[in-house]
Amino acid sequence: MLLFLYILFVIGSGIYFFLTWNYKHWEKRGIPSPEPKILCGNLQGAVFGKKHVVYDFDRIYKNYKNQYSFVGVYSLRQPQYLITDARTAKDILITKFKSFHDNEVADMSDKKKDPILVSHPFMVKGEEWKEKRNEMTPAFTRLRIKAMYSIFQETAEHLKMALLRANGGTIDGYETCAHYAIDVVSNCIFGRDAGALSNGKSKILDMGRQFVFSTRFLLYFMAVQFLPSLKKIYKFSAVGKDVEEFFLNEMKDAIALRLKNQNKRKDHLNYLLDLRAKKNLS
């Protein structure tokens, strides 16, 4: 019995030290930091599902913004910076951005496991990130956004009609905004209306939600926070094969239709086609 209690004590102590050993990281470096809680660090609300993670960061930001330009926080076990000063943020994002452009998600997967996610400009790093940034930045200039205004306006008319159909009744604001957003995105990227506002549902929206709200990815992300070396051992696929095939087929169909009709519509798809021609891609 004593041996069992001793083994239990050793195992419990090992788990406790594993979960908390990193919690002196900022204190050792003389950087201010709120007191972390075991298991969840400074993200108590998010970990226990009480509120969105943004509210945890907002609470810390408000407590420290008038005292320091940055503070140390803990995302579960991982130490991270939280910038609380606009000038410091500008310095990081512009002057010294070459030291900060990589992100923690980039190493969680690879192109074999998840070609769609890993090819996203926000998920790549190093020279590839610079190339993607140079390709995509011209797509979001003021003039190009202004050129797509008619698409936004057309979809806004659909939104107005959807609100009028409610005839003063109760509407789901979250779903209505999601329908509007997916119709705009579909119009700009695939060159066609997704039909979410007019039909009340959309295949693109359903598949997009599987892409964004993946419980498997959330669990993997949390596991990596506890054991960062997991990223080197196992690469994760956040996008299911059915979702990947759906969006690839959507894009192929959109390109084929655009080329067939020789339509020079001023949208994001048109920019991508011009970029493809410029870079001589197939």
Side-chain angles (χ1 to χ4, degrees), residues 62-92:
K62 288 178 177 176
N63 288 339
Y64 288 89
K65 67 176 183 177
N66 295 323
Q67 305 174 58
Y68 307 100
S69 58
F70 63 87
V71 294
V73 296
Y74 295 93
S75 176
L76 280 66
R77 287 179 66 246
Q78 295 305 302
Q80 297 179 338
Y81 279 120
L82 175 63
I83 308 303
T84 59
D85 174 68
R87 282 179 293 185
T88 304
K90 182 180 179 181
D91 195 32
I92 290 173

Side-chain angles (χ1 to χ4, degrees), residues 121-161:
F122 288 110
M123 303 300 173
V124 294
K125 60 181 184 178
E127 290 301 318
E128 187 179 5
W129 174 84
K130 292 180 182 178
E131 183 181 354
K132 293 285 186 184
R133 182 192 65 177
N134 292 334
E135 290 175 354
M136 298 310 299
T137 299
F140 299 100
T141 61
R142 185 176 64 175
L143 289 177
R144 287 193 179 274
I145 297 296
K146 187 177 180 180
M148 292 189 287
Y149 178 76
S150 60
I151 299 174
F152 307 152
Q153 192 172 36
E154 178 185 345
T155 310
E157 286 295 322
H158 295 168
L159 174 61
K160 184 174 76 173
M161 296 304 298

Side-chain angles (χ1 to χ4, degrees), residues 115-268:
I116 290 184
L117 183 69
V118 174
S119 298
H120 194 286
F122 288 110
M123 303 300 173
V124 294
K125 60 181 184 178
E127 290 301 318
E128 187 179 5
W129 174 84
K130 292 180 182 178
E131 183 181 354
K132 293 285 186 184
R133 182 192 65 177
N134 292 334
E135 290 175 354
M136 298 310 299
T137 299
F140 299 100
T141 61
R142 185 176 64 175
L143 289 177
R144 287 193 179 274
I145 297 296
K146 187 177 180 180
M148 292 189 287
Y149 178 76
S150 60
I151 299 174
F152 307 152
Q153 192 172 36
E154 178 185 345
T155 310
E157 286 295 322
H158 295 168
L159 174 61
K160 184 174 76 173
M161 296 304 298
L163 295 175
L164 290 174
R165 284 196 299 271
N167 197 26
T170 302
I171 64 168
D172 188 327
Y174 178 85
E175 284 298 311
T176 302
C177 290
H179 290 170
Y180 172 75
I182 202 64
D183 279 355
V184 169
V185 170
S186 178
N187 244 317
C188 292
I189 296 179
F190 301 120
R192 69 177 183 85
D193 183 40
L197 285 169
S198 55
N199 301 325
K201 58 182 180 179
S202 167
K203 181 71 171 178
I204 294 178
L205 178 60
D206 293 338
M207 299 303 282
R209 280 176 167 159
Q210 292 183 46
F211 178 90
V212 177
F213 301 107
S214 169
T215 303
R216 290 172 57 248
F217 181 74
L218 179 61
L219 292 174
Y220 177 74
F221 183 81
M222 292 181 68
V224 166
Q225 299 300 302
F226 286 113
L227 193 64
S229 58
L230 182 63
K231 291 189 289 186
K232 300 178 181 178
I233 301 170
Y234 176 72
K235 299 295 184 181
F236 183 79
S237 175
V239 182
K241 288 299 178 184
D242 55 335
V243 178
E244 178 185 323
E245 290 178 6
F246 173 80
F247 282 108
L248 286 175
N249 289 332
E250 280 289 318
M251 182 56 73
K252 288 178 182 177
D253 292 344
I255 291 173
L257 183 62
R258 182 64 58 90
L259 294 177
K260 178 182 178 181
N261 295 335
Q262 292 294 307
N263 185 354
K264 287 295 183 180
R265 189 171 183 245
K266 297 297 184 181
D267 56 13
H268 192 65

